[in-house]
Amino acid sequence: GIQVEQSPPDLILQEGANSTLRCNFSDSVNNLQWFHQNPWGQLINLFYIPSGTKQNGRLSATTVATERYSLLYISSSQTTDSGVYFCAVSPFTDKLIFGTGTRLQVFP
Amino acid sequence: DVKVTQSSRYLVKRTGEKVFLECVQDMDHENMFWYRQDPGLGLRLIYFSYDVKMKEKGDIPEGYSVSREKKERFSLILESASTNQTSMYLCASSLRQGAGNTIYFGEGSWLTVV
């Protein structure tokens, strides 16, 4: 099956810093989503982005499908950005395969 | 807004007990999912349902069963709970089969089996 690797596994930032999270996947996909899990466990969908670039406020994401990777950019980070960021992919259905996540801690 | 509600946030059960985890969604979604989340392993799919009474095994179905008698409700059943099933369980739903549907998650159920 498809392998999903996320890097870095952990990231510590000071408020205001920018960061880039990476997701590599081992096969072609037509469904790729980024999620944020807050410290209380709630998973929120950030982007559906099987290809191209999208932006939502301070967050943006780019997927280069031909090279099998996706990037999540967080600009001017805030303490509320803390949590775990997951990338999830699927080749042809809604049954997503998740990476192991990047844990982000933002300090004031 | 879509709401996915998991009935129990925290449970402690004894080894061998039968455990029911209930999930309800209020947006008429066809697809419903049960994942478990463990440190270092991310989320792993246990079972998936794309319609009432329909189910498919995910990556780790052993020791679990599911029930979907109504479209809005998807239940995860641990027939005989074991300590290695201590985990966080996440229910999710999405609109219908086919790529591109945003998936919505419940808040999670933390299960401890002692």
Side-chain angles (χ1 to χ4, degrees), chain A residues 30-31 33 35 37 39-45 48 84 86 90-101, chain B residues 9 31 33 35 37 40-43 45 48 56-57 88 90 94 96-103 105-107:
Chain A
N30 62 7
N31 188 345
Q33 301 186 32
F35 296 86
Q37 187 172 41
W40 296 272
Q42 178 71 57
L43 268 160
I44 303 295
N45 186 288
Y48 163 72
V84 183
F86 288 101
S90 177
F92 49 77
T93 69
D94 289 338
K95 291 193 287 184
L96 292 173
I97 300 162
F98 282 75
T100 54
Chain B
R9 192 90 166 103
N31 296 336
F33 309 83
Y35 286 87
Q37 182 177 7
L41 297 177
L43 278 74
L45 182 64
F48 162 58
E56 282 188 18
K57 293 181 180 179
M88 183 161 90
L90 288 155
S94 67
R96 59 182 173 272
Q97 269 284 40
N101 297 304
T102 298
I103 287 183
F105 280 88
E107 291 183 317

Side-chain angles (χ1 to χ4, degrees), chain A residues 21-83:
Chain A
L21 283 59
R22 186 176 179 104
C23 172
N24 292 333
F25 44 96
S26 61
D27 207 342
S28 299
V29 299
N30 62 7
N31 188 345
L32 187 150
Q33 301 186 32
W34 282 96
F35 296 86
H36 173 228
Q37 187 172 41
N38 66 25
W40 296 272
Q42 178 71 57
L43 268 160
I44 303 295
N45 186 288
L46 298 174
F47 293 105
Y48 163 72
I49 187 165
S51 63
T53 297
K54 288 186 177 179
Q55 180 153 8
N56 184 2
R58 295 181 296 103
L59 301 182
S60 64
T62 295
T63 298
V64 183
T66 53
E67 297 187 23
R68 298 182 186 166
Y69 73 88
S70 183
L71 302 174
L72 178 69
Y73 305 96
I74 304 173
S75 64
S76 303
S77 57
Q78 300 175 359
T79 55
T80 51
D81 295 331
S82 296

Side-chain angles (χ1 to χ4, degrees), chain B residues 15-108:
Chain B
T15 300
E17 273 193 80
K18 190 168 187 176
V19 181
F20 292 87
L21 299 180
E22 307 285 347
C23 176
V24 177
Q25 49 92 4
D26 66 356
M27 284 301 290
D28 205 33
H29 283 176
E30 276 83 0
N31 296 336
M32 295 190 75
F33 309 83
W34 275 106
Y35 286 87
R36 67 176 279 178
Q37 182 177 7
D38 300 287
L41 297 177
L43 278 74
R44 293 177 292 167
L45 182 64
I46 305 172
Y47 267 98
F48 162 58
S49 170
Y50 52 90
D51 202 349
V52 174
K53 297 189 187 295
M54 306 304 288
K55 62 185 179 185
E56 282 188 18
K57 293 181 180 179
D59 298 319
I60 51 165
E62 296 79 18
Y64 304 95
S65 62
V66 290
S67 172
R68 193 161 179 206
E69 297 296 318
K70 293 185 178 181
K71 191 175 186 179
E72 67 271 19
R73 187 179 297 271
F74 192 34
S75 303
L76 180 69
I77 303 155
L78 288 66
E79 295 287 345
S80 178
S82 63
T83 54
N84 62 12
Q85 292 177 309
T86 292
S87 186
M88 183 161 90
Y89 291 87
L90 288 155
C91 176
S93 72
S94 67
L95 184 56
R96 59 182 173 272
Q97 269 284 40
N101 297 304
T102 298
I103 287 183
Y104 298 89
F105 280 88
E107 291 183 317

Side-chain angles (χ1 to χ4, degrees), chain A residues 7-29:
Chain A
S7 60
D10 295 281
L11 192 54
I12 300 173
L13 299 174
Q14 192 147 27
E15 223 171 11
N18 301 329
S19 61
T20 301
L21 283 59
R22 186 176 179 104
C23 172
N24 292 333
F25 44 96
S26 61
D27 207 342
S28 299
V29 299

